[in-house]
C-alpha cells in the first residue's frame, strides 16, 4: 500500500466556510509542572480553610470545661446558670400586684367602714379628709375631658377643699356636658371599683393603681397647695404599699374604699344645701342646667342616685353578697 509523503511547508488554508482550531502542543514536562501547581494551590487553600474553621469566633467565651479547667483550676459557672440572689424593688411591686392576698376579714371590713363613716360624718375630720374627695372629683373632670377630645389646661386645688379643672374646646355639645357631669359621681365610682378589688384580695394592686392615679393628677396640677396635697397623698399610699405588712395593707385599702363610697355622698348633699341658699351659682349642677336646659335640681338628684347606688353595690361586694 503506497503511503503519502508528509508535506514540509506551511499548512494549507482551510476550505471556504470552515475554520480550524489550532492546538498548541506543550512539552511533556509542562503537564507535570501544572499538575504540581494545582495540587500546591489546592493544598494551601485547604490548609487555610481548615485553619479558619478551627479558629474561635470573636466574642467567644470558654465554657466550664475550658479556661481554669484546662489549667487545673475550678470551672467557672456559666452566665446562663447564675440565678439572681435578690429581687429588685420594681419586680417586688409587680409580684405583689399580681399575687392574690387574703381578703380582709369581716371584722377588719367592719372596723374600716366605721372609721370611714366617722371621718365623713365628723365636722372636725371632714374638712381635712375632703381633700381626697376633691382630688378624685377633679380627676374625674380631667379624665372625661381628655376622653372627649378636649384640651386639658390643668387642675387647681385650694385649701378650702374646692377645686377647678380648666379645659378648652367646644362650648356646647355632649363633650363638655360629660366633662362637667363627671365630677360628683367619680369618688363613688372609684370606690365601687376599689370594693371589687378588695373583695377579691387585690389590695396591693388597688394601692398601686391609686399611686398611678395620683401621679397622673400630679402632672396636671397648676398651683402650690394642690402640688403639696397630691404629693403627700402619693407618699402615704406608696409607703403603705411598700412597707406595710399584708394585714395592715388590707385594712388600709378597705378603709380608703369605704371612705370613697361614703364620702362620695356627702358632697352631693352639700351642693344641694348650698343651692337652696343661693341659686344660679357656678356649681356643676348649675353649669349643667345652663348647658342642657334641664333644671339643676334634676342633676343633683342624678348625682345622689348614682352615689347611693355605688355605695349599695360596694357594700354588697365587701359583705360578700355579690
Amino acid at each position: 500500500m503506497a503511503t503519502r509523503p508528509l508535506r514540509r511547508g506551511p499548512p494549507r488554508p482551510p476550505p471556504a466556510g470552515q475554520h480550524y482550531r489550532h492546538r498548541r502542543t506543550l512539552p511533556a514536562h509542562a503537564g507535570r509542572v501544572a499538575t504540581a501547581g494545582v495540587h500546591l494551590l489546592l493544598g494551601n487553600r485547604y490548609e487555610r480553610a481548615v485553619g479558619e474553621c478551627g479558629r474561635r469566633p470573636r466574642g467567644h467565651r470558654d465554657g466550664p470545661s475550658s479556661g481554669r479547667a484546662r489549667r487545673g483550676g475550678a470551672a467557672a459557672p456559666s452566665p446562663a446558670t447564675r440565678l439572681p440572689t435578690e429581687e429588685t424593688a420594681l419586680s417586688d411591686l409587680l409580684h405583689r400586684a399580681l399575687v392574690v392576698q387574703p381578703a380582709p376579714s369581716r371584722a377588719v371590713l367592719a372596723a374600716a367602714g366605721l372609721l370611714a363613716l366617722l371621718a365623713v360624718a365628723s365636722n372636725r375630720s371632714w374638712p381635712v379628709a375632703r381633700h381626697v374627695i376633691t382630688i378624685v372629683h377633679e380627676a374625674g373632670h380631667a379624665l372625661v375631658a381628655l376622653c372627649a377630645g378636649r384640651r386639658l389646661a390643668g387642675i387647681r386645688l385650694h385649701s378650702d377643699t374646692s377645686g377647678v379643672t380648666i379645659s378648652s374646646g367646644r362650648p356646647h355639645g355632649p363633650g363638655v356636658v360629660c366633662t362637667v357631669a363627671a365630677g360628683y359621681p367619680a369618688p363613688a365610682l372609684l370606690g365601687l371599683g376599689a370594693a371589687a378589688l378588695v373583695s377579691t384580695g387585690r389590695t396591693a394592686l388597688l394601692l398601686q393603681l391609686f399611686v398611678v392615679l395620683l401621679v397622673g393628677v400630679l402632672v396636671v396640677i397648676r398651683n402650690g397647695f394642690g402640688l403639696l396635697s397630691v404629693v403627700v397623698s402619693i407618699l402615704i399610699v406608696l409607703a403603705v404599699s411598700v412597707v406595710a405588712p399584708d394585714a395592715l395593707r388590707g385594712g388600709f385599702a378597705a378603709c380608703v374604699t369605704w371612705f370613697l363610697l361614703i364620702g362620695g355622698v356627702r358632697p352631693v348633699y352639700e351642693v344641694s344645701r348650698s343651692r337652696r341658699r343661693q341659686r344660679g351659682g357656678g356649681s356643676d349642677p348649675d353649669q349643667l342646667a345652663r348647658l342642657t336646659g334641664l333644671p339643676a335640681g334634676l342633676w343633683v338628684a342624678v348625682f345622689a342616685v348614682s352615689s347611693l347606688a355605688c355605695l349599695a353595690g360596694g357594700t354588697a361586694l365587701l359583705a360578700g353578697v355579690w
Side-chain angles (χ1 to χ4, degrees):
M1 182 176 179
T3 60
R4 189 176 181 179
L6 296 176
R7 190 171 180 177
R8 302 286 184 176
R12 295 178 181 180
Q18 296 184 6
H19 297 278
Y20 290 154
R21 293 183 180 178
H22 298 281
R23 294 184 179 179
R24 296 184 60 184
T25 58
L26 298 176
H29 66 277
R32 293 192 295 270
V33 173
T35 303
V38 170
H39 283 288
L40 180 61
L41 179 61
L42 292 178
N44 292 337
R45 290 185 178 178
Y46 177 76
E47 292 176 359
R48 191 180 299 112
V50 171
E52 290 177 356
C53 292
R55 189 179 304 165
R56 290 179 298 178
R58 183 177 297 177
H60 174 76
R61 295 183 179 179
D62 293 334
S65 61
S66 59
R68 295 183 180 179
R70 294 178 180 175
R71 296 190 295 269
S78 175
T81 60
R82 296 175 184 173
L83 298 176
T85 57
E86 57 183 8
E87 297 179 352
T88 61
L90 180 59
S91 62
D92 188 22
L93 289 177
L94 293 176
H95 178 72
R96 288 184 181 182
L98 296 177
V99 174
V100 178
Q101 295 85 18
S105 61
R106 295 285 182 88
V108 173
L109 291 174
L114 181 60
L115 288 176
L117 180 61
L118 292 177
V120 174
S122 175
N123 291 328
R124 294 184 178 181
S125 60
W126 176 243
V128 179
R130 196 183 191 280
H131 289 289
V132 178
I133 302 297
T134 304
I135 292 174
V136 182
H137 179 105
E138 301 303 330
H141 285 310
L143 180 60
V144 175
L146 292 176
C147 294
R150 299 179 62 83
R151 185 176 180 180
L152 183 63
I155 296 175
R156 301 179 68 88
L157 303 174
H158 306 293
S159 58
D160 60 349
T161 70
S162 64
V164 58
T165 300
I166 304 173
S167 64
S168 59
R170 294 182 58 184
H172 302 283
V176 65
V177 172
C178 294
T179 300
V180 178
Y184 280 98
L189 288 174
L190 182 61
L192 180 62
L197 292 178
V198 171
S199 62
T200 57
R202 302 285 184 177
T203 55
L205 177 60
L206 174 63
L207 296 181
Q208 294 179 23
L209 290 178
F210 283 159
V211 173
V212 173
L213 173 65
L214 291 170
V215 170
V217 175
L218 181 64
V219 174
V220 295
I221 288 294
R222 296 295 182 265
N223 65 326
F225 181 82
L227 183 68
L228 177 62
S229 59
V230 174
V231 168
V232 170
S233 302
I234 291 175
L235 293 179
I236 292 175
V237 178
L238 192 60
V240 175
S241 177
V242 175
V243 179
D246 293 342
L248 182 58
R249 191 186 306 120
F252 178 79
C255 187
V256 174
T257 300
W258 278 115
F259 178 76
L260 291 173
L261 291 171
I262 303 173
V265 178
R266 180 164 178 172
V268 179
Y269 168 74
E270 291 177 347
V271 73
S272 176
R273 187 178 58 179
S274 65
R275 286 198 68 262
R276 294 174 185 174
R277 299 175 181 176
Q278 182 181 0
R279 296 180 179 271
S283 63
D284 290 353
D286 295 324
Q287 295 182 33
L288 290 170
R290 290 192 292 266
L291 289 171
T292 61
L294 300 176
L298 178 62
W299 287 105
V300 173
V302 170
F303 295 154
V305 170
S306 62
S307 299
L308 291 174
C310 291
L311 175 59
T315 304
L317 288 172
L318 294 176
V321 177
W322 286 358

